Amino acid sequence: MERLMIVVPAYNEEEALPKTLDILGELVERLIKQKIIDIQSKVVVVNDGSSDNTWTVIEKFNKTNNVITGVNLSRNFGHQSAIIAGLSATLNFGDVFITIDADLQDDVGAIIEMLEAHAKGFDIVYGARNNRDTDTAFKKKSASAFYKIMKKIGVQMIPQVADYRLMSKRSVEHLLTYKEKNLFLRGIVPTIGFPSTTVYYARKEREVGTTKYPLRKMLSFAWEGITSFSVAPMQFVLAMGLVTILVSLFMLAYTVWEYISGETIAGWSSLMVSIWFIGGVQLIGLYVIGEYVGKVFNEVKGRPRFIIQDNLLKNNLDKK
């Protein structure tokens, strides 16, 4: 039997965690009793520098439930880094790994299907939504547009898949060799290339707490994904530059024609329009180039993607 490690990134989830840990703890205990997974399987909650009592809740459950344990990061490093931190901390203790968010909007029942698919030889099993009924119309359209854009620029992504997935030990080992700080795991994991499949489930509404991905963060995350995997935005700026040149040549010809016709007007408004248009293109171009330079700047510094302050998993196993 294999040791299952369920990695749960959590940021300010003190309201949701008690119910989440009860459900996940009961599931792991049931799977252990059914001899589907090893007795040393764990639910590992990664506290991503929460400002509330998330870590206190984790410590409390750890004292009363042998299945529940946790990792405490020194500060907030972000959702994707928290997942990597959890996988890194559990790598030497587990054989198969599942990542799932603390709000439990993802159906935990799919974990059993994931394990069944893994038993058939799949190294990576993605959890995909079978519908987006719980989303607003705007979120449905924006998500669809995002997947289309990512596909268009050549990024391998599984539609309707977030960070709910199962990974074998060897796939996690290879994932951890990806050292970039600009993490977009939904795009990185498919590049590993091991046998994979997908299980589908119905996503639920969040029962308690508030979402940690408002519109601003969602847009930022989407931009991170695009710029981390493609230079398409820079190519788009090039296209805009070429279009601008063509427009300016047309305007030049038009201006000459107006001059010959004797119909030019002092302070012609099109001059200002052209200046503002070209200035806008230049600013957009500088921003896009700066975005990539900034990413290179962050990467070459080589700073750690996370810092673990407390590791209850290691402490618990060391005591044994």
Side-chain angles (χ1 to χ4, degrees):
M1 289 183 289
E2 293 184 310
R3 290 168 294 178
L4 171 64
M5 296 287 154
I6 300 179
V7 176
V8 186
Y11 175 67
N12 290 346
E13 293 285 6
E14 65 171 322
E15 293 181 83
L17 269 183
K19 182 174 181 179
T20 297
L21 295 182
D22 279 338
I23 293 173
L24 289 177
E26 188 277 329
L27 174 66
V28 170
E29 289 174 350
R30 177 157 49 89
L31 293 175
I32 290 173
K33 288 179 181 178
Q34 294 173 352
K35 296 185 178 181
I36 296 174
I37 57 177
D38 188 83
I39 193 172
Q40 290 189 354
S41 298
K42 304 287 183 183
V43 175
V44 184
V45 188
V46 182
N47 178 38
D48 186 23
S50 300
S51 57
D52 63 2
N53 294 316
T54 293
W55 183 243
T56 302
V57 173
I58 297 169
E59 288 183 308
K60 179 181 177 182
F61 270 83
N62 177 250
K63 291 176 182 177
T64 58
N65 190 330
N66 188 48
V67 167
I68 308 297
T69 185
V71 171
N72 187 29
L73 303 187
S74 62
R75 62 173 177 84
N76 179 247
F77 287 88
H79 180 268
Q80 302 289 277
S81 292
I83 291 176
I84 290 294
L87 293 174
S88 298
T90 58
L91 181 62
N92 293 328
F93 305 110
D95 302 303
V96 59
F97 307 81
I98 291 177
T99 55
I100 185 172
D101 287 341
D103 55 24
L104 281 198
Q105 288 184 264
D106 299 316
D107 182 14
V108 298
I111 289 177
I112 297 174
E113 294 182 60
M114 289 180 175
L115 290 171
E116 290 173 350
H118 173 62
K120 295 177 182 178
F122 292 103
D123 284 271
I124 302 172
V125 184
Y126 299 101
R129 302 171 62 167
N130 57 16
N131 63 70
R132 303 192 73 94
D133 292 343
T134 59
D135 289 348
T136 62
F138 171 77
K139 193 169 183 179
K140 289 178 183 178
K141 291 180 180 179
S142 59
S144 176
F146 174 67
Y147 284 114
K148 288 178 180 177
I149 290 172
M150 295 299 279
K151 184 178 181 180
K152 193 76 173 178
I153 63 178
V155 181
Q156 300 179 45
M157 283 185 63
I158 312 300
Q160 312 306 332
V161 166
D163 290 302
Y164 185 25
R165 67 178 72 87
L166 174 149
M167 299 183 71
S168 65
K169 184 163 188 171
R170 69 169 182 168
S171 62
V172 171
E173 288 173 339
H174 284 283
L175 174 63
L176 296 179
T177 64
Y178 289 66
K179 298 301 182 182
E180 61 254 48
K181 284 179 61 65
N182 300 292
L183 288 166
F184 187 68
L185 295 177
R186 302 179 195 186
I188 292 176
V189 173
T191 67
I192 295 173
F194 288 145
S196 63
T197 188
T198 304
V199 300
Y200 294 90
Y201 66 93
R203 186 173 170 84
K204 299 176 290 184
E205 294 276 5
R206 174 186 272 268
E207 294 185 16
V208 293
T210 58
T211 178
K212 304 306 181 292
Y213 268 89
L215 178 60
R216 179 182 60 82
K217 277 196 172 183
M218 285 173 56
L219 293 175
S220 176
F221 187 62
W223 178 247
E224 181 75 24
I226 292 170
T227 55
S228 293
F229 276 86
S230 175
V231 295
M234 297 183 72
Q235 295 170 341
F236 176 71
V237 170
L238 172 62
M240 287 184 67
L242 293 174
V243 169
T244 303
I245 292 173
L246 292 174
V247 171
S248 65
L249 290 174
F250 172 79
M251 292 303 295
L252 176 62
Y254 182 69
T255 303
V256 171
W257 172 258
E258 289 291 299
Y259 177 76
I260 294 173
S261 302
E263 298 179 5
T264 52
I265 301 173
W268 196 22
S269 60
S270 62
L271 176 63
M272 292 302 296
V273 172
S274 299
I275 291 173
W276 280 101
F277 179 72
I278 294 171
V281 171
Q282 289 174 332
L283 288 174
I284 292 173
L286 285 173
Y287 172 79
V288 172
I289 293 170
E291 179 77 15
Y292 283 95
V293 172
K295 286 180 179 291
V296 174
F297 174 69
N298 287 328
E299 295 290 348
V300 298
K301 286 187 292 187
R303 293 179 181 176
R305 294 182 291 187
F306 57 86
I307 298 173
I308 295 178
Q309 181 173 310
D310 304 290
N311 189 341
L312 299 180
L313 173 63
K314 186 176 185 302
N315 293 342
N316 292 158
L317 294 177
D318 285 346
K319 288 178 184 179
K320 291 182 180 181

